[in-house]
Amino acid sequence: MKPRKNTKRVPSFRKLLRTSQIKLDNKLKNKQYKQKSAAKKYRKEQKKLREAVRDAISRKPFPLEECKKKQVAKKWEEKEEEDALPLDMMDEDDLKLMEDLAQKASFLTRDISSNEPVHIKKRKHESVIEKYEKVPRRLQTEPEKELIHLLPIKDKSGIIPQAVEKPVLNVAHDEEEDTEDTEEAEDFNEEPLPVLTPEEMAAQRRQKLQERKMHIAALASSILSEPDSNIKKLKELRAMLMEQDPNVAVIVRKLVMVSLMEIFKDIAPSYKIRPLTEAEKATKVKKETQKLREFEEGLVSQYKYYLENLEQAIKDWKQRKLKKSNVISLKAYKGLAEVAVKCLCELLVALPHFNFHNNIIVLIVPLMNDPSKKISELCVEAVKKLFKQDKLGYASLGVVKVISGLVRGRNYDVRPEVLKVFLHLRIKEVELQKDSEDIAPKKKFMTYKEKRKNLSRMQRKWKKAEEKLERELLEAEASESKQKKLKLHTETLNIVFVTYFRILKKAQKSPLLPAVLEGLAKFAHLINVEFFDDLLIVLHSLIASGDLSYRESLHCILSAFHILSGQGDVLNIDPMKFYTHLYKTLFSLHAGGSNEDIGIVLQCLDVMFAKRRKQVSQQRALAFLKRLSILALHVLPNSSVGILATNRVFMQTFPRMDLLLDNESQGSGVYLPELEEPEHCNAQNTALWELHLLQRHYHPTVQKFASHLIAGAPTEGSGALPLDLSQRSATELFEAYCVKGMTFNPPVASVTPRRKDTFLQMDSFVDELNKQLQQHINETVAHKPLDFAKHLKKSSLA
């Protein structure tokens, strides 16, 4: 048979690294510790068992003969267990003598200190009680002493046994444990604390809270006064985040969170602190440099630990797990988490350049989708502020990356507000930036002839060096920063568009679709021309499907015309179907308090007619003018002002719009207001009779616009608008006259007559009424007294 191969594999180098010598030593120490603790536990249990048996035996009286038998048996057991008396070393005579003595009670019961001989005869009158009293007894409090029996000594009086106390090694350790047990028992036996009344407890709590506040204020002021010298006090202040007093723990932790946040905002430098290399640590530096290094290192480490504490507070609230210390209740976790989120949001906006900013982004972005409305609103507002104030684009790019990953990871099941923050990105048009660079006047340097003519040799030398330095500075400041900014903005927009296109392709019925359409409407001019055809087909199919609300349809129309008004001018695409969609949607708009969709309509009309007036036919413009005038009768005053301002633009932009101000028809056919095709509704055969109704509107600005349009929308003369109305766009007027806050613009003038005159008029009116009533009653009673009495009786019964 062949020898069997050894199939055991040699451990790899990586496995050997994992099981290092330190790990093996720790395992050995743990094993030894477990063995010692097990042996120690076993000794203590045996000791307690022996004491219990001995105590029970000492309390129970038993006959002397039984005592003798037990003691003899015990002695033989001790001899066998401890091997204290080696019998093989004794002579046969001595061994026989020992066995004979063991049968006699006098050897065991006599007092060893007495001088009487061992084999003395006992007195006959000695009773059993006296024999029992001679049995040696120990007190219960007497500590046990383990004895080692030695070889006995033989003299004239007989054999004298010898014994030595057994040495105890861990006596001190056992005594410490016994003392600990006794101390715990004493603690339980202490007197109970005095019971405080609710008023005393509240006063005690206020005092503790005031002390903590003073301590926090003292630490914070000392850190802010000299950050370099007192950086170690940050650790002391941060340690108060673990306040253990249950009466003030929640408030103290909140105060410390906010205080540390304000401190870090004040003392953090305007640059990112990088860790020192080994070579830099090894080199000797000045005291000031070393002090600055220590300050930066301590600041970064404490800032890191502070962020970890805030993160842990949020995790505790999310997991709903009670701590072992049980200092803070579960109800207080939410309050602590809200303060922690607020601090993180403040640091996100205030320190975008400092260390661990990306870690804060990773914490904040998922909380934008949190079920708690307060926390999600805090995070959304913080991200909006960050986008608005981020000039270069590093922080915006980091946030957009995390949002894109969150939307994709949650399978597009996020709140629409998460995507709506993209609308606040500060991204400009790339082409406009290049044009501005080309148009901007460049710095001119002196030519060689001018230098030779105007400057000396030394001046020319200095001038040459100065111009070289200026060129380097211009290159470093302008071109490099612009290129970086352009690159960051391009990458950010790519991620935004990828997110939008994924939702359009895979989640068309998602609640995120309105936010996507709104974002496409804003950034459509930055989309690559290659995607225009496909994108317009997708937008048209979405509107034609009928699954969208009218607001989402408006966003689709606005996105399509933004695409066509920018780089899409070069494309030969007829957007007639989008005009039809908007014409259909106008009568579906909400006319009540939530009339914010009128603003989107005004934007669509501006892009579709004012910026594309050459591509719009007269029939289409007349149809929209008539339908918008009908719509102005049913909406709120600010919407009416915006619509009439758009009609003014129609009448000034397109020719022959004033034919709708005449009652006579201009062609064949009848106006069909319900037809959904603007080209075939025969709008030229109607009139703008709605303007006469709007002249009697309760809002004075609507009256001015209606009168202005009836006059033909002149730019000057008696029918012209004032400058504050004529120079503002329709969208601006819509926002200016908004009644969302229950305010009327312009304010209504209150007409209050004098109070005295009012009261006099009321008194005279009441007197005259009373006279007429009395006169009528008298006449009725005089002519028909019986009928009047019956009438009174019926009325009283009723």
Side-chain angles (χ1 to χ4, degrees), residues 463-480:
K463 191 70 176 176
K464 185 178 179 180
E466 185 179 351
E467 288 179 355
K468 183 180 178 181
L469 181 61
E470 286 181 1
R471 285 193 184 94
E472 291 176 356
L473 290 173
L474 286 173
E475 290 176 1
E477 291 178 0
S479 61
E480 189 177 353

Side-chain angles (χ1 to χ4, degrees), residues 243-259:
E243 176 66 41
Q244 297 299 317
D245 193 345
N247 292 328
V248 295
V250 178
I251 298 179
V252 169
R253 292 188 184 188
K254 289 180 180 179
L255 292 174
V256 174
M257 284 181 186
V258 178
S259 302

Side-chain angles (χ1 to χ4, degrees), residues 547-762:
D547 296 332
L548 303 182
S549 64
Y550 69 88
R551 183 181 178 88
E552 296 169 0
S553 302
L554 291 175
H555 281 304
C556 282
I557 297 167
L558 186 59
S559 304
F561 279 97
H562 271 303
I563 291 170
L564 295 173
S565 62
Q567 304 175 49
D569 288 337
V570 297
L571 300 176
N572 189 13
I573 298 175
D574 185 16
M576 182 58 197
K577 47 194 173 185
F578 292 104
Y579 282 98
T580 305
H581 287 316
L582 180 62
Y583 189 78
K584 243 192 298 187
T585 311
L586 285 178
F587 282 166
S588 302
L589 295 176
H590 200 290
S594 59
N595 64 339
E596 298 176 356
D597 302 327
I598 300 290
I600 307 173
V601 173
L602 298 177
Q603 294 178 31
C604 292
L605 293 170
D606 182 48
V607 178
M608 294 165 68
F609 289 94
K611 295 181 180 179
R612 295 176 58 88
R613 55 182 177 271
K614 294 181 181 180
Q615 288 87 3
V616 179
S617 64
Q618 184 182 2
Q619 286 294 116
R620 199 181 301 173
L622 288 171
F624 271 93
L625 180 62
K626 176 63 178 177
R627 183 156 284 200
L628 287 172
S629 300
I630 297 172
L631 182 63
L633 293 172
H634 306 285
V635 292
L636 293 178
N638 62 326
S639 302
S640 297
V641 171
I643 290 171
L644 293 176
T646 304
N647 287 351
R648 176 175 177 267
V649 175
F650 272 62
M651 298 182 73
Q652 291 178 349
T653 304
F654 296 96
R656 298 186 64 187
M657 289 289 108
D658 55 346
L659 60 88
L660 294 181
L661 300 176
D662 193 359
N663 292 332
E664 297 180 0
S665 60
Q666 299 294 327
S668 61
V670 181
Y671 173 61
L672 304 173
E674 296 180 359
L675 193 67
E676 294 179 350
E677 291 292 335
E679 297 283 349
H680 308 293
C681 66
N682 299 323
Q684 72 277 2
N685 294 327
T686 184
L688 295 178
W689 53 266
E690 296 86 5
L691 297 178
H692 293 278
L693 293 178
L694 292 171
Q695 262 188 320
R696 296 174 176 82
H697 199 276
Y698 66 89
H699 200 283
T701 309
V702 177
Q703 295 175 12
K704 290 179 183 178
F705 266 99
S707 302
H708 172 69
L709 293 177
I710 288 174
T715 55
E716 57 185 12
S718 60
L721 285 175
L723 290 176
D724 60 331
L725 296 177
S726 61
Q727 293 181 354
R728 299 163 80 178
S729 65
T731 309
E732 292 175 355
L733 290 169
F734 170 74
E735 294 175 354
Y737 290 95
C738 180
V739 292
K740 190 175 181 180
M742 300 301 292
T743 56
F744 193 79
N745 186 15
V748 180
S750 59
V751 182
T752 55
R754 293 182 181 179
R755 186 177 296 178
K756 187 175 180 181
D757 298 341
T758 305
F759 283 133
L760 289 174
Q761 292 175 4
M762 289 178 64

Side-chain angles (χ1 to χ4, degrees), residues 39 62 71 166 188 190 199 244 252 343 412 458 476 538 553 570 590 710 717 751 757 766 790:
F62 47 85
Q71 289 182 1
K166 186 176 180 179
F188 284 112
E190 287 181 358
E199 292 80 5
Q244 297 299 317
V252 169
C343 294
Y412 312 105
M458 186 60 67
V538 170
S553 302
V570 297
H590 200 290
I710 288 174
V751 182
D757 298 341
V766 170
K790 289 179 182 178

Side-chain angles (χ1 to χ4, degrees), residues 75 80 115 158 193 224 261 326 391 441 518 583 698 798:
K75 189 171 182 180
E80 290 176 0
N115 296 324
L193 295 174
L224 292 175
M261 180 261 294
N326 204 13
K391 296 180 180 179
E518 194 172 351
Y583 189 78
Y698 66 89

